[in-house]
Amino acid sequence: MKRILFSVLMTMSVASVQSQDFRFDEVSYSPEGTTFKLFAPDDAKKVTIRIYNSGTEKKTVKTIRMNRTARGPWTATFKGNLMGKFYTFDIGKGETPGVFAKAVGVNGKRGAIVDMRKTDPEGWENDSRPVLKSPADLVVYEMHHRDFSIARPGARYPGKFLALTEPWAIDYLKQLGVNAIHILPSYDYGSVDETRLDTPQYNWGYDPVNYNVPDGGYSTDPYKPEVRIREFKQMVQALHKAGIRVILDVVYNHTYDIDHSNFQLTYPDYYYRKIGESYSNGSGCGNETASEQPMMRRFMIESVKHWINEYHIDGFRFDLMGVHDIETMNEIRKAVDEIDPTIFIYGEGWSAGACAFPTEKLGLKANIPQMPRIAAFSDEIRDALRGPFSDDKECGWLGGRPEEESLKFGIVGAIAHPQVDMTKVNYSTQPWTTEPTQMMSYVSCHDDMCLVDRLKASIPNITEKELIRLDMLAQTAVFTSQGVPFILSGEELMRTKKGVHNSFESPDSINQLDWTNKDRYPQVFKYYQNLIALRKNHPAFRLGDAHLVRKHLEFIDAPKGVVAFRLKDYAGRDDWRNIIVILNATKTEEEVTVPSGDYTVVCCDGQINEFGLGNIKGAKAIVDPQSALILHN
């Protein structure tokens, strides 16, 4: 008898949880009958299943009462063919699709019975992730589906998953040179009403409802459960064919709310941390999940595996990873390694408030050494370059603030390096990575202002010429660092959000990319393109090993406002044996003494040409104002 497993992760009794004698079950379908199993609290008075013909009709087809056996799940069997039907569970708190629905109806209110194999696009079985030898080889491009395509002239599917299958999108990403896209939350989230998609609605998506189903707002038909699943897969397939990996932003640290969350409606108070009778709020969103609980830990592991196995996802960015416990993150890394060790995992190494769990056991940036092969964002290099997160008007090194040591710390990938004085580094008193690939190097992301807006806010009376120069200088620091480079989509187009600091629910007019900027600032796009190519073509910029960084990366004495370093005696897969990078944030030319030799200039005064822009002989290098100079011999 053919059986199709799908849709639901089950919860369990407290006794089972405490003994860790538990497993996850599915709803088992066959044309003759469907068996439902649900782990719900022992003291639930009645657990029922409701079957519907659609995701919206109020009338039920059938109501089934579930039965519970000793120390076992609540179970029920429906005789007959339920393919294409919808269902909910109810333990007396309200209807829910369960905590692990894999297919849902509009707005995720009901689970759906679908054949997942029929959602596979043609050739899906032959889809494979692009080759990756080291995380240092990644160039991560963070995007929001709607931002990227909603205002693109000629886009057939603006604001949808399918936009990333269109030739213009694929060609653009390949032209820029990125090899991984980080998509903002793309699971089913709560703040966009899928029944009103003709009305412009916007949210980043950090308000989870169903963690394991693509969001219907990015599909062409949210009423049909198969559509969102198939279109998400088509997106991944198209990007893979183009050599681009897909990284999913996952938000396991909190839910949209508590009372109406699938967690709470299935097993009240089990999945959340509490302080006395109050819910802890380490997420800053009104609640925090309890990753240390066996059930929540298993949920996260199985969820990540589902996205890999069903959707071929290549990496995960953990929102507020500092809310999760170290053991859970390491267990996730272990489970992922069993599937494919090249799948990349990184996250925010902080929380948004105090957590009801010991700090020394949380996935914070300072604890990254306890989480091998998991990376975190470096706010040291970010804020060294542009200024502190806490004050938009305060400048960083780009505006004249003395942040050279923090910048150097970012350049080496947050590892221990003999030339970095940790007493002068912002936020950290000691190195927090064991390998440079554990550090995400960036200057902007969806949070906070984009780079152009931050430069305008923090450097009074900045001219457009200075703005362009400092924008390119900032990204030169990011892409010549030994961490994993990460950029916000649109920075290569001089993106602006009109000064909005936190645009999570701002309209398209604020968030959308202005594609006319590619013609308005062609030199900026060209610079980003060449900068990415420079990193890709010369492995000294991405050594990927702490020992090699300490051996080959040497800082050079430089004037105030200038950071200079040499990648020396490196002959691995490249004929550029010595590379010198000089970053000058001052408004004047600066002279730096370099090891005497004959050098080819490949980056100068806002231009990059790997074949050479000129030559320097001797031991003196002059770097133009607010720009980078890169030489090699």
Side-chain angles (χ1 to χ4, degrees):
M1 180 186 296
K2 179 182 177 184
R3 304 191 73 84
I4 299 170
L5 300 181
F6 81 109
S7 191
V8 130
L9 170 70
M10 311 306 169
T11 54
M12 75 243 325
S13 70
V14 173
S16 296
V17 170
Q18 296 304 323
S19 67
Q20 297 197 33
D21 177 23
F22 65 90
R23 62 188 179 88
F24 293 111
D25 265 308
E26 302 85 8
V27 171
S28 299
Y29 162 86
S30 78
E32 293 75 26
T34 300
T35 297
F36 297 87
K37 295 182 180 180
L38 180 72
F39 285 94
D42 292 341
D43 58 358
K45 294 181 180 178
K46 182 173 70 171
V47 180
T48 57
I49 302 167
R50 294 184 177 88
I51 306 297
Y52 298 89
N53 281 324
S54 77
T56 56
E57 289 181 18
K58 293 183 179 180
K59 185 179 179 181
T60 60
V61 173
K62 181 78 172 178
T63 298
I64 309 167
R65 184 160 183 168
M66 303 188 80
N67 299 308
R68 190 178 187 284
T69 56
R71 292 183 60 80
W74 293 81
T75 63
T77 299
F78 177 89
K79 294 182 179 180
N81 194 342
L82 289 182
M83 180 57 66
K85 302 297 185 183
F86 296 76
Y87 66 88
T88 61
F89 296 101
D90 189 348
I91 69 167
K93 302 291 184 180
E95 293 185 72
T96 170
V99 300
F100 209 92
K102 296 178 183 176
V104 296
V106 67
N107 281 331
K109 299 295 185 182
R110 296 170 183 169
I113 299 178
V114 304
D115 184 345
M116 295 295 281
R117 294 291 61 80
K118 290 184 178 179
T119 69
D120 295 344
E122 184 179 354
W124 184 243
E125 69 278 6
N126 298 318
D127 178 68
S128 60
R129 58 180 49 91
V131 173
L132 181 69
K133 294 181 179 179
S134 166
D137 298 340
L138 288 168
V139 176
V140 182
Y141 186 80
E142 182 193 44
M143 68 163 63
H144 183 281
H145 296 288
R146 196 171 178 93
D147 293 3
F148 187 72
S149 58
I150 197 67
R152 174 74 185 198
R156 185 178 177 187
Y157 300 105
K160 304 297 184 183
F161 293 133
L162 289 181
L164 290 172
T165 69
E166 297 185 58
W168 70 263
I170 296 294
D171 291 347
Y172 179 80
L173 294 171
K174 290 176 68 176
Q175 183 185 20
L176 181 59
V178 299
N179 59 15
I181 64 162
H182 160 156
I183 48 176
L184 261 65
S186 300
Y187 52 71
D188 183 53
Y189 61 88
S191 52
V192 169
D193 184 351
E194 296 171 7
T195 67
R196 299 189 302 111
L197 295 182
D198 289 340
T199 302
Q201 301 173 76
Y202 188 92
N203 204 281
W204 283 341
Y206 292 95
D207 46 354
V209 176
N210 292 292
Y211 284 93
N212 298 289
V213 192
D215 187 69
Y218 299 134
S219 75
T220 59
D221 189 345
Y223 291 88
K224 296 179 180 178
E226 300 90 342
V227 172
R228 64 179 75 190
I229 298 170
R230 182 179 300 109
E231 290 177 350
F232 190 100
K233 291 177 179 179
Q234 287 175 280
M235 172 191 70
V236 173
Q237 185 181 46
L239 290 162
H240 280 179
K241 286 180 179 178
I244 298 170
R245 288 191 162 217
V246 182
I247 296 168
L248 188 66
D249 199 326
V250 288
V251 190
Y252 298 114
N253 64 81
H254 72 278
T255 57
Y256 187 31
D257 64 9
I258 294 179
D259 292 341
H260 302 98
S261 76
N262 295 327
F263 286 151
Q264 197 74 342
L265 292 175
T266 306
Y267 205 121
D269 283 0
Y270 177 78
Y271 293 94
Y272 298 98
R273 293 183 184 134
K274 299 183 77 172
I275 302 174
E277 294 302 310
S278 300
Y279 293 97
S280 185
N281 187 23
S283 71
C285 299
N287 62 84
E288 69 184 75
T289 54
S291 60
E292 69 281 3
Q293 289 278 44
M295 184 63 177
M296 185 64 197
R297 176 176 294 161
R298 180 56 52 184
F299 174 81
M300 292 171 65
I301 293 170
E302 294 301 321
S303 177
V304 165
K305 288 167 62 178
H306 172 66
W307 283 105
I308 296 170
N309 294 327
E310 189 66 45
Y311 293 96
H312 300 180
I313 287 296
D314 310 295
F316 298 89
R317 177 267 194 190
F318 280 77
D319 184 66
L320 296 180
M321 186 170 68
V323 171
H324 303 313
D325 69 292
I326 294 169
E327 185 177 350
T328 295
M329 293 307 303
N330 285 334
E331 286 295 315
I332 290 171
R333 179 72 265 179
K334 179 181 177 181
V336 169
D337 283 346
E338 291 174 357
I339 301 172
D340 185 343
T342 73
I343 292 170
F344 188 45
I345 295 176
Y346 59 100
E348 292 181 296
W350 45 75
S351 63
C355 294
F357 201 70
T359 300
E360 66 273 13
K361 295 183 178 181
L362 292 173
L364 297 165
K365 186 179 63 175
N367 296 331
I368 284 292
Q370 300 177 55
M371 297 185 286
R373 299 179 53 251
I374 294 175
F377 288 94
S378 171
D379 49 350
E380 292 92 358
I381 190 172
R382 181 196 70 194
D383 289 5
L385 287 167
R386 58 136 213 221
F389 180 83
S390 58
D391 187 349
D392 293 337
K393 296 182 179 180
E394 185 70 42
C395 71
W397 176 79
L398 294 167
R401 190 182 178 95
E403 291 282 4
E404 288 84 356
E405 214 65 27
S406 297
L407 179 53
K408 287 164 63 177
F409 181 64
I411 287 169
V412 301
I415 65 168
H417 191 283
Q419 289 180 286
V420 176
D421 183 353
M422 293 303 301
T423 66
K424 298 178 181 178
V425 172
N426 57 15
Y427 311 144
S428 294
T429 58
Q430 59 186 5
W432 52 263
T433 69
T434 56
E435 297 293 347
T437 49
Q438 289 181 289
M439 189 201 89
M440 302 301 293
S441 181
Y442 77 123
V443 68
S444 64
C445 66
H446 70 276
D447 274 328
D448 199 13
M449 288 182 169
C450 52
L451 181 56
V452 163
D453 289 344
R454 181 55 187 257
L455 290 171
K456 287 180 178 179
S458 60
I459 303 176
N461 304 313
I462 188 171
T463 66
E464 183 171 79
K465 183 179 179 180
E466 289 176 318
L467 192 63
I468 291 170
R469 295 175 73 87
L470 291 176
D471 180 285
M472 295 190 296
L473 177 61
Q475 299 294 5
T476 309
V478 168
F479 277 89
T480 59
S481 81
Q482 294 294 324
V484 178
F486 174 105
I487 60 171
L488 172 66
S489 65
E491 297 291 26
E492 73 282 5
L493 304 174
M494 294 289 285
R495 181 180 188 174
T496 176
K497 295 184 184 180
K498 300 180 175 61
V500 175
H501 175 100
N502 191 2
S503 65
F504 75 100
E505 58 182 359
S506 296
D508 292 331
S509 58
I510 298 297
N511 284 298
Q512 68 192 19
L513 299 194
D514 184 350
W515 290 97
T516 64
N517 274 10
K518 191 167 184 286
D519 294 325
R520 190 174 293 120
Y521 303 106
Q523 75 278 34
V524 176
F525 180 85
K526 186 69 174 177
Y527 190 90
Y528 275 68
Q529 184 184 42
N530 288 340
L531 185 60
I532 290 169
L534 190 71
R535 181 182 177 90
K536 283 186 174 181
N537 293 339
H538 301 285
F541 291 118
R542 43 186 178 82
L543 295 169
D545 179 273
H547 171 72
L548 292 178
V549 173
R550 283 186 285 266
K551 179 180 178 181
H552 295 290
L553 194 153
E554 174 185 75
F555 288 101
I556 299 170
D557 289 340
K560 182 180 177 182
V562 178
V563 171
F565 62 94
R566 177 167 69 130
L567 294 163
K568 61 180 182 177
D569 303 324
Y570 186 71
R573 309 191 310 276
D574 195 356
D575 59 1
W576 290 17
R577 292 188 60 87
N578 294 282
I579 302 172
I580 292 176
V581 178
I582 306 174
L583 308 169
N584 177 20
T586 75
K587 294 184 177 183
T588 59
E589 284 186 351
E590 298 290 347
E591 181 179 281
V592 177
T593 300
V594 300
S596 184
D598 295 340
Y599 294 96
T600 299
V601 178
V602 294
C603 175
C604 180
D605 199 23
Q607 296 184 64
I608 296 175
N609 187 328
E610 287 188 63
F611 299 103
L613 294 166
N615 300 97
I616 292 177
K617 293 185 178 182
K620 299 294 182 182
I622 305 297
V623 57
D624 291 294
Q626 298 176 320
S627 67
L629 180 69
I630 302 178
L631 327 166
H632 78 88
N633 63 13

